[in-house]
Structure formats: C-alpha cells, structure tokens
Amino acid sequence: MSNTPIITPDYKENIDSYRQLIGSTGEDLNRPGLLDTPVRAAKAFSHLTQGYHQSLDEVVNDAVFPSTNRELVLVQNIEFYSLCEHHMLPFYGVAHIGYLPNGHVLGLSKFARIVDMFARRLQIQENLSEEVAQSIMNVTGCRGVAVVMDASHMCMMMRGVNKQQSTTRSTAMLGEYLHDNQARNEFLDAVPKRRPAF
C-alpha cells in the first residue's frame, strides 16, 4: 500500500504548481526527499490560507454575552502567523486587543480566532490590524476598539535588506479611541512594551 496521501481534487492544481516551481530550481523531483514535497506544500498552503474559507459569523459562533462592564478589556499576546502578500513569505508576531464594552462582551477565545481568520490570508500587517479592529467593533457594538500588532517579517529578514532584528508595530483605533486621549493612553500603557533589538 502506498504511503502517498489521498488528495482531494482541490489540491491537484496546487500540487502541480509546486512540482513546476521546485523543478524550476533544477532539483530532481524524483529524489526521495522531494517525492511528497509538492503534496505536503499544497496542504501547508491550504492551511496557511484557510481564512479565505471562514466567515466572521462562523468564527464568533454567537459568543457575544450581556455585561454591565464598561471598562477596558485587554486581551494580549495573541500569537499569529501570516503570509506577506508581496512575497508570500511569513510574518509572525503577537496581537494586543483592547475594547470598551457597551452592554456586551465577546468570548475571550474569539479574539484569537478572529486574528487567525484574517492572518491566514495573504496580508499586509497594516490591513490585518484594521480588519481585526473593525470586526470586533461590528460584532460587539462596543464603544471603541484598539489593536496593536508587533511582528517580524521574513521578507525583510531573509531577503532584500536582510535585517534580522527588525520588527514592525502597527495600530488600529476605532470609536472612542480616536478622540479620547485618556482611553487611548490607558490602552497603550497596558500593552506590553516592545523589547529592544539590541
């Protein structure tokens, strides 16, 4: 019996593309280490882009609950992994999300699921921050949402300028965070500080 996985038709085009891509390097696709690589790569790519096949309603799954709390709720250090839409190289880091409830709160695990849904698409970090913030605003009807993301980008680290210590911080502010400096500062003061590269 073959150890080759059974692939659904959806994978076939991606498998063929990976075979062609690997072959373009001059590699021997028949050597043992590469025999199943196109299959594995197609499956990995499908996993890394599964956010295209998810919806906000599915991810949230009605996990919005009544609450009288109106103070800052901060969910921090949510790790994420994404693919840069310019070079299709990984970028990865952590997201910190704060929001000001307005009668409802969101189940804590849903913050991570929302981050993952948008991260598992071809992305740029700036848009990822905004998409996460807008989704939480839409789902909860909160008074304000603030998102900070810190990430390392392989397109800067392993090619091009080759700056291995570089990181990028992006922010997105909605609602009260746009005009209430006290709320904004409370959130930013609570977010973990970036560690210096040196």
Side-chain angles (χ1 to χ4, degrees), residues 10-85:
D10 295 337
Y11 284 107
K12 187 177 185 323
E13 187 175 343
N14 285 350
I15 292 169
D16 291 342
S17 296
Y18 276 112
R19 282 198 179 102
Q20 184 177 359
L21 184 65
I22 295 167
S24 73
T25 68
E27 263 286 6
D28 177 8
L29 283 163
N30 292 314
R31 72 176 176 87
L34 289 178
L35 277 177
D36 291 327
T37 297
V39 171
R40 290 190 293 262
K43 284 190 164 187
F45 187 73
S46 177
H47 174 76
L48 295 173
T49 57
Q50 68 183 2
Y52 287 114
H53 308 291
Q54 296 176 304
S55 73
L56 189 58
D57 287 343
E58 291 171 337
V59 165
V60 171
N61 196 25
D62 295 323
V64 179
F65 308 105
S67 174
T68 58
N69 180 24
R70 290 177 60 85
E71 299 301 319
L72 168 66
V73 178
L74 174 64
V75 185
Q76 61 189 25
N77 295 315
I78 302 169
E79 69 268 21
F80 67 87
Y81 304 88
S82 192
L83 290 176
C84 164
E85 67 184 41

Side-chain angles (χ1 to χ4, degrees), residues 149-184:
M149 290 187 159
D150 292 318
S152 298
H153 291 250
M154 287 296 160
C155 57
M156 283 190 67
M157 297 167 70
M158 63 186 293
R159 60 161 296 283
V161 293
N162 286 295
K163 300 302 180 189
Q164 283 74 36
Q165 303 299 322
S166 66
T167 60
T168 300
R169 171 165 281 198
S170 59
T171 62
M173 305 278 178
L174 298 175
E176 290 187 14
Y177 286 111
L178 287 173
H179 53 78
D180 186 334
N181 287 335
Q182 182 177 344
R184 178 189 284 253

